[in-house]
Amino acid sequence: MTANPVQERICDLEDAEAAARRLRDRALDLALRQTACWPGRPLPPLAKRAVFLALALHERAEMAARELEDFINYLERDMS
C-alpha cells in the first residue's frame, strides 16, 4: 500500500515547523545562559550568534507554518 503524498507533505511541514521551533527555543536558551551574568551590558559574541540563529529558526518555522496553511487552504478550495 502506498502512502498518501498529500498527508506526507502535511506531516513534513508540521515536522519542519516543530523542529525549527524547538531549535529556536534551544538557541534562545543558550543566549539567555550567556547573558545571565551580564544584565544591561552588550551581548557577548556567542549570545549575539545565538540570537541571530534563533531569529533565523523562527523565520524558518513561520515559513513552514505559512506553507502548511496555504496548502490546507488550497486543498479546501479544491474540495469546494
Side-chain angles (χ1 to χ4, degrees), residues 43-79:
L43 291 176
L46 182 58
K48 284 182 183 179
R49 289 192 296 272
V51 169
F52 181 78
L53 178 61
L55 289 172
L57 290 165
H58 176 74
E59 181 60 27
R60 183 184 295 174
E62 290 299 311
M63 286 173 38
R66 282 191 301 270
E67 187 176 346
L68 179 60
E69 185 175 341
D70 290 347
F71 188 62
I72 291 172
N73 287 337
Y74 172 78
L75 291 173
E76 288 174 341
R77 278 193 313 267
D78 195 40
M79 295 177 85

Side-chain angles (χ1 to χ4, degrees), residues 4-16 68 71-72 75:
N4 181 344
V6 172
Q7 185 60 43
E8 282 183 17
R9 184 63 182 148
I10 289 172
C11 288
D12 289 345
L13 289 169
E14 288 173 336
D15 292 345
L68 179 60
F71 188 62
I72 291 172
L75 291 173

Side-chain angles (χ1 to χ4, degrees), residues 22-52:
R22 280 192 305 273
L23 289 170
R24 177 206 56 199
D25 292 345
R26 287 178 59 195
L28 288 174
D29 287 344
L30 174 61
L32 183 60
R33 286 195 307 269
Q34 291 294 312
T35 59
C37 299
W38 301 53
R41 295 187 182 172
L43 291 176
L46 182 58
K48 284 182 183 179
R49 289 192 296 272
V51 169
F52 181 78

